[in-house]
Amino acid sequence: MRILIKNGHVIDPANGIDEVTDIFVENGIISEVGTDPDLEGIDMEIIDAEGMCVAPGLVDMHVHLREPGQEYKEDIESGTMAAVFGGVTSVACMPNTEPVADNEAIVRFIKTKADECGYANVFPIGAISKGLEGKYLAEMGEMAFAGAVGVSDDGRPVENSGLMRRAIEYAGMFDLIVISHCEDPALGEGDMNEGAVATSMGLRGISPAAEEVMAARDILVAEAIGGRVHIAHISTRGTVELIRRAKERGVKVTCETCPHYFSLTEEACIGFNTNAKMNPPLRTADDVAAIKEGLRDGTIDCIVTDHAPHHPDEKNCEFSAAKNGIVGLETSLGLGIKNLVNEGVLTMGQLIEKMSLNPSRILGISRGTLGTGKCADIVIFDPSKKWTVDINKLHSKGKNSPYDGFELYGKPEYVIVGGDIVINRGELMK
């Protein structure tokens, strides 16, 4: 398919483009960027993007697709469908499946299934330890050769510091990023953020130190051996400060946060709203301010969703028994525009950098750019167009979102994956 995208405001941080221009796509590749390309006599699809932003497809490096083993919550087909409706053209899926993605066979299964029925690109994350048990390293080399782009025991911390050191060393041999779920289990036993709101609701509180203690450890371990580590879903002022100071020292640490940590506080849990229950938990207004400042000054590299779909029965229960996590693939761009761009925290270019370019660079995948010769993964959206979240219309199997009824901005109008138009005027094409 040949596609000409005309008159759009092209935002490509990788190449310093932030202007109205055209993009020509041919055979799945971006063939030309610039106004008035010589295309006379060429049969092509024309998209008039006047008034809209044209950006690299979003790259979400922290997603739970649940397949294999938990397809009642989500599967690769439904998860990637939700992704493209949110403008996300590439996802990195976490290994806490059943069985765990801790070996070559499961990684290859995920890749094959994504090729068969996926709407977006899928990049598997393998486990750090066998069975996520934190005892023995998984076969990282075999998983890397099968297509894994990183390793994580996400959902569980690696409690053994020696094992984390060996993981960072071993993963580095295969250029795999180690993604750390920072949580001290002894400090993390609870239902929501520790403080007055939890006390008023009679719920057990989770100390911010549960996250900060393990983040500090992993930073020090990486610093000691000169290795790379990526801190997942940070939520507290203390963690932001730890990473900021580590970067100043030259530690090879990167990090991510999620839209819920810059758009909601612990007060979303009032009324025992289980759709606001997650791990790490929603924090205070001061923590939200710190997350925004970390995004503004570059301490926080990426915005991810930690998309965690659950069956309604796993949320429709008492708060303490409810599963942690929310769905986020279809709301992340809108929340970023509303809470960061519209509030002057980030420019649109900086938002795209954190939602597309930086995750691609950290994972080492060739995405996140509109450069000539690169894969044509593109999202086109009107940043001023308002839309209202309706959880019953989400394309994920999971409807566990705290944003039902929220007014957001910038719902994708067109999404192109590998040169194919997957979303056309807001509708699914294949």
Side-chain angles (χ1 to χ4, degrees):
M1 177 179 285
R2 297 184 180 95
I3 306 168
L4 176 63
I5 304 169
K6 291 181 62 66
N7 307 318
H9 182 176
V10 176
I11 298 176
D12 181 16
N15 293 292
I17 300 174
D18 190 348
E19 62 184 356
V20 175
T21 189
D22 301 338
I23 295 177
F24 181 57
V25 174
E26 188 173 21
N27 297 325
I29 301 297
I30 296 173
S31 177
E32 190 171 349
V33 180
T35 55
D36 300 321
D38 184 11
L39 303 173
E40 187 176 350
I42 296 178
D43 184 28
M44 58 191 165
E45 179 93 11
I46 297 177
I47 296 174
D48 186 354
E50 184 174 1
M52 292 188 275
C53 288
V54 181
L58 306 183
V59 177
D60 191 337
M61 64 177 289
H62 194 137
V63 169
H64 299 270
L65 294 180
R66 304 300 191 197
E67 189 174 6
Q70 297 177 320
E71 290 86 353
Y72 70 96
K73 299 186 183 191
E74 190 81 284
D75 56 37
I76 290 170
E77 182 175 9
S78 65
T80 55
M81 183 188 299
V84 293
F85 272 100
V88 178
T89 57
S90 296
V91 298
C93 56
M94 290 295 150
N96 54 341
T97 49
E98 296 177 2
V100 172
D102 61 0
N103 60 78
E104 176 185 2
I106 302 300
V107 172
R108 289 195 185 280
F109 167 82
I110 292 169
K111 293 285 289 182
T112 300
K113 191 67 181 291
D115 289 342
E116 291 175 352
C117 66
Y119 292 90
N121 307 298
V122 175
F123 297 93
I125 303 294
I128 291 174
S129 66
K130 293 181 179 179
L132 305 181
E133 294 178 350
K135 296 179 180 178
Y136 308 101
L137 289 181
E139 293 294 343
M140 297 182 189
E142 291 184 359
M143 292 189 292
F145 297 143
V149 295
V151 290
S152 179
D153 274 3
D154 186 65
R156 300 183 186 179
V158 177
E159 295 185 60
N160 186 310
S161 300
L163 188 73
M164 177 56 85
R165 171 180 175 153
R166 292 194 295 275
I168 294 173
E169 291 172 331
Y170 189 30
M173 296 170 60
F174 304 99
D175 200 27
L176 295 174
I177 187 67
V178 174
I179 302 170
S180 177
H181 173 108
C182 287
E183 177 187 8
D184 184 324
L187 295 171
E189 293 181 356
D191 302 311
M192 62 174 293
N193 186 55
E194 184 177 84
V197 177
T199 300
S200 70
M201 294 173 63
L203 295 174
R204 299 172 299 164
I206 300 173
S207 169
E211 176 181 309
E212 295 159 3
V213 165
M214 292 297 270
R217 183 206 68 175
D218 289 347
I219 288 168
L220 291 172
V221 169
E223 185 174 20
I225 62 177
R228 289 197 307 153
V229 68
H230 180 83
I231 309 298
H233 43 51
I234 71 170
S235 66
T236 76
R237 175 176 289 278
T239 306
V240 174
E241 186 63 17
L242 285 166
I243 294 168
R244 181 180 287 122
R245 299 304 171 218
K247 287 188 171 186
E248 290 174 356
R249 300 196 306 272
V251 181
K252 299 174 184 176
V253 58
T254 53
C255 68
E256 65 189 39
T257 194
C258 309
H260 37 276
Y261 298 127
F262 60 69
S263 64
L264 296 173
T265 69
E266 59 189 351
E267 293 186 358
C269 297
I270 292 174
F272 301 95
N273 178 12
T274 58
N275 283 331
K277 184 186 180 187
M278 57 201 70
N279 187 27
L282 296 173
R283 304 290 187 179
T284 67
D286 180 65
D287 292 305
V288 169
I291 292 293
K292 287 182 176 180
E293 183 56 34
L295 287 163
R296 188 201 307 272
D297 70 14
T299 300
I300 301 175
D301 303 274
C302 306
I303 296 169
V304 305
T305 62
D306 195 6
H307 177 79
H310 290 295
H311 188 276
D313 291 347
E314 296 171 321
K315 284 290 192 177
N316 189 23
C317 56
E318 65 252 36
F319 198 94
S320 295
K323 294 286 188 181
N324 288 309
I326 67 172
V327 294
L329 283 166
E330 296 173 70
T331 54
S332 60
L333 178 61
L335 288 165
I337 294 172
K338 179 178 181 177
N339 294 277
L340 300 177
V341 177
N342 291 356
E343 291 187 10
V345 178
L346 299 177
T347 65
M348 186 63 74
Q350 290 169 331
L351 180 68
I352 297 302
E353 185 175 36
K354 292 182 187 296
M355 297 189 75
S356 186
L357 177 60
N358 287 354
S360 300
R361 287 178 169 172
I362 291 168
L363 294 174
I365 61 175
S366 183
R367 295 296 191 277
T369 174
L370 298 177
T372 301
K374 298 298 184 179
C375 183
D377 289 351
I378 304 170
V379 59
I380 303 172
F381 60 94
D382 180 351
S384 65
K385 185 175 181 179
K386 297 180 181 180
W387 63 282
T388 301
V389 179
D390 181 347
I391 59 170
N392 296 312
K393 294 181 180 179
L394 296 178
H395 296 84
S396 168
K397 289 183 181 180
K399 311 302 179 188
N400 48 304
S401 169
Y403 296 109
D404 191 32
F406 276 52
E407 187 176 75
L408 303 182
Y409 294 81
K411 197 173 185 68
E413 295 291 327
Y414 298 88
V415 177
I416 298 170
V417 180
D420 291 329
I421 300 174
V422 180
I423 300 293
N424 189 334
R425 296 180 179 86
E427 300 294 329
L428 190 67
M429 292 299 293
K430 73 168 189 175

